[in-house]
Amino acid sequence: MDITRRNEIRRLVLWGSAALALSLLVEDSWPLLVVTLAMLAFYVRQLLRLSRWLSQHQARNELPETTGVWGKIFDEIYHRLRREEQARETLEQLINRAEDSVTALRDAVVVVDRQGRIEYWNAAAQRLLGFKSPHDKRQTFTNLVRDPRLMSYLDSEDFRAPITLPSPLNESLMLEFTITRFGDGDWLVLVRDVTRLHNLEQMRKDFVANVSHELKTPLTVLKGYLETLLMTVPEEQTRLHRALNQMDQQSHRMENLVNDLLMLARLEGTEVDNQPQVIAVADMLQRHAQDAKALAATLNKTLHINLDADSTLKLRGSSLELESGFGNLITNAVKYTQTGGNISIRWWQDDQGAYMSVTDNGPGIDPKHIPRLTERFYRPDSSRVTQTGGTGLGLAIVKHVMLRHDGKLDILSNLTKGSTFTCHFPTSRISAEPLRKIN
Ligand code: ADP
């Protein structure tokens, strides 16, 4: 027991004994009563002072003057309140500092709750997205940034890659939205102004598209003359004939390159058609299988080409793009598989969607190259290119076509064991249109 408490008890005992002694002396109880009442009055007064002080308390208010155990109680409460106040001040400073740094950010920061309503945004969000305080507080995020692409991005709940959209304030401002989930289903939306990057990228695309387009006319002229020369120059002039043949082959290669570049520019630079066609993929693959046989014959190869396609399964998409994508995969199989090899083309569905696959037992690809195979001009083996005269753009085209059809390209391959390229389309791309009966 500490000294203050001991003194208090001692004082109580002393006063009590004195009052008792006096009561015994005068043979009456009034001294005891008077002392008890006086002590009660003293305690009640201290309690009232404490209560008054607490109700008006501010950490800087001086403590009421008192002694003994009451002084100690007052002191203890005072110090606890001071400590709490200091902790609150430190926390407030920390929050203010965090808020100041978020406000100073050039990128917009928006906090959206699980119902999709805006809880917080910084100054950059006002500038980039036009949010106004306090009017827009608790408004639905997608009501303020209205864009069907954002809606479907949010519905997909796949936020691994950011999405780039024009600002709702100014169409020429391109913004990149990165969404991170936190807490109980809330989102942290980071919005970055990528207009400069976007414009540079657009310039690059336009440049490639324009150059490719400009190359088309001179190439056609050259090819025309070469064909005429090849027909008119007598075969006995072997050296000249060989030179003309090589020029003809290279001009064909150049033409393919220009066409592939134009196709890529189209795939990158145009909006996806939101009214897709219904495509009879089995018929399309039938035509490709025929073309593959013709190509094998031109290349002097004997290949066993097998087609297994579900003719009831139709796809919603762009026929031009799928023609090009599937054509590239089938042409590659023919180009790279050695004579006597097998090529199997399949088209089927399961509960995950629809699939088109091309399998060959050709030379295969070292798995270490597979992640980069769809990059433009990436070739694992440059000697194959010289032999086959490819453009190095075929798989980049397939990847873009698949992206535009909400699907993906899977590649399975091993050196010497052959390859399987599978185009996977989501179920949403399968056409539910009833089949028309052809009589
Ligand atoms: P390319 O015009 O060179 O064929 P692609 O983009 O179509 O360009 O293919 C990239 C590379 O992938 C090819 O150069 C080739 O090395 C490899 N490749 C593609 N398809 C096959 C296949 N079926 N078998 C083996 N290698 C392949």
Side-chain angles (χ1 to χ4, degrees):
M1 199 187 297
D2 73 18
I3 193 148
T4 340
R5 255 181 278 166
R6 215 174 309 138
N7 282 346
E8 189 71 19
I9 292 169
R10 207 176 287 155
R11 191 164 41 206
L12 274 175
V13 172
L14 209 72
W15 278 99
S17 322
L20 190 68
L22 200 63
S23 291
L24 288 174
L25 203 70
V26 294
E27 290 181 355
D28 203 340
S29 59
W30 63 263
L32 206 56
L33 201 70
V34 169
V35 169
T36 312
L37 282 175
M39 284 170 82
L40 206 65
F42 174 72
Y43 284 123
V44 169
R45 183 167 170 262
Q46 299 299 355
L47 272 176
L48 288 175
R49 286 175 76 193
L50 177 62
S51 145
R52 203 175 319 125
W53 181 75
L54 279 177
S55 64
Q56 310 164 341
H57 171 75
Q58 269 164 10
R60 272 161 270 286
N61 271 11
E62 272 314 305
L63 200 62
E65 204 53 59
T66 187
T67 53
V69 81
W70 281 100
K72 199 163 166 51
I73 292 172
F74 276 40
D75 228 39
E76 189 71 22
I77 294 177
Y78 175 78
H79 282 109
R80 281 195 187 190
L81 288 173
R82 266 304 269 158
R83 276 200 298 275
E84 248 177 54
E85 199 112 343
Q86 272 163 1
R88 202 173 46 238
E89 271 170 20
T90 318
L91 206 67
E92 250 172 42
Q93 275 171 11
L94 211 71
I95 293 173
N96 286 344
R97 225 174 136 62
E99 213 171 291
D100 285 351
S101 51
V102 177
T103 308
L105 276 178
R106 284 186 341 171
D107 298 342
V109 178
V110 184
V111 177
V112 181
D113 72 9
R114 57 187 307 195
Q115 269 94 36
R117 286 186 305 238
I118 303 169
E119 258 179 15
Y120 167 85
W121 64 88
N122 66 350
Q126 301 184 8
R127 186 168 43 80
L128 297 176
L129 302 166
F131 292 179
K132 286 186 202 77
S133 192
H135 180 258
D136 290 338
K137 186 122 184 152
R138 314 236 23 102
Q139 291 285 329
T140 307
F141 181 61
T142 44
N143 277 352
L144 299 186
V145 189
R146 262 178 201 278
D147 194 305
R149 285 167 292 182
L150 180 68
M151 294 283 244
S152 44
Y153 179 70
L154 295 177
D155 285 347
S156 76
E157 299 210 342
D158 179 5
F159 306 141
R160 279 170 300 177
I163 180 171
T164 305
L165 300 169
S167 157
L169 272 188
N170 176 354
E171 280 278 308
S172 61
L173 211 63
M174 290 311 290
L175 304 178
E176 184 187 79
F177 292 72
T178 310
I179 297 180
T180 313
R181 271 202 213 89
F182 75 100
D184 188 16
D186 304 319
W187 304 332
L188 179 70
V189 187
L190 285 177
V191 186
R192 207 157 64 95
D193 181 355
V194 288
T195 314
R196 216 181 119 257
L197 267 178
H198 186 266
N199 289 348
L200 280 173
E201 178 73 356
Q202 194 56 46
M203 261 164 65
R204 178 192 66 79
K205 287 180 193 164
D206 290 349
F207 175 75
V208 175
N210 290 339
V211 169
S212 317
H213 194 76
E214 291 302 321
L215 281 173
K216 261 188 109 103
T217 324
L219 248 178
T220 317
V221 177
L222 276 176
K223 269 182 64 210
Y225 279 120
L226 277 169
E227 268 166 34
T228 325
L229 280 171
L230 268 170
M231 279 190 292
T232 47
V233 172
E235 293 214 4
E236 293 74 54
Q237 294 185 334
T238 36
R239 281 178 69 185
L240 182 58
H241 224 269
R242 199 168 344 116
L244 286 173
N245 257 326
Q246 274 184 10
M247 284 161 82
D248 188 50
Q249 273 170 19
Q250 291 306 321
S251 67
H252 272 291
R253 198 171 157 210
M254 217 162 159
E255 191 183 33
N256 289 341
L257 197 63
V258 167
N259 287 339
D260 279 359
L261 280 171
L262 282 172
M263 182 67 189
L264 264 179
R266 207 186 79 81
L267 292 173
E268 280 186 336
T270 56
E271 290 288 318
V272 178
D273 192 354
N274 51 16
Q275 281 187 319
Q277 303 152 271
V278 174
I279 302 159
V281 177
D283 296 348
M284 186 186 273
L285 293 176
Q286 183 72 49
R287 286 194 302 276
H288 279 303
Q290 293 302 331
D291 293 348
K293 282 178 190 155
L295 178 65
T298 327
L299 298 173
N300 289 324
K301 285 185 188 177
T302 318
L303 293 175
H304 307 285
I305 300 172
N306 172 53
L307 171 66
D308 174 13
D310 177 351
S311 56
T312 62
L313 177 58
K314 315 247 162 170
L315 198 73
R316 294 185 314 112
S318 154
S319 134
L320 182 82
E321 292 174 17
L322 291 171
E323 282 276 3
S324 166
F326 294 167
N328 273 312
L329 293 181
I330 297 169
T331 310
N332 275 352
V334 175
K335 276 192 316 191
Y336 296 111
T337 307
Q338 59 280 26
T339 188
N342 297 315
I343 296 174
S344 158
I345 307 165
R346 289 180 65 213
W347 169 238
W348 80 102
Q349 72 169 315
D350 67 11
D351 54 358
Q352 304 289 309
Y355 306 80
M356 196 296 288
S357 73
V358 183
T359 304
D360 64 58
N361 61 350
I365 304 154
D366 189 335
K368 73 175 186 223
H369 295 296
I370 292 179
R372 299 196 55 196
L373 218 54
T374 54
E375 285 175 22
R376 278 153 221 232
F377 302 114
Y378 183 82
R379 286 151 176 148
D381 181 354
S382 52
S383 67
R384 283 186 204 170
V385 183
T386 18
Q387 287 161 21
T388 59
T391 63
L393 294 171
L395 293 180
I397 291 178
V398 181
K399 182 182 130 187
H400 270 84
V401 169
M402 290 313 293
L403 278 178
R404 285 166 69 89
H405 286 79
D406 317 314
K408 60 181 177 37
L409 171 69
D410 292 323
I411 307 171
L412 258 176
S413 190
N414 257 315
L415 275 178
T416 71
K417 297 215 173 72
S419 322
T420 298
F421 292 79
T422 309
C423 300
H424 176 191
F425 300 89
T427 37
S428 56
R429 280 279 169 182
I430 297 175
S431 169
E433 200 170 276
L435 278 175
R436 267 165 298 157
K437 237 183 155 176
I438 304 161
N439 294 315

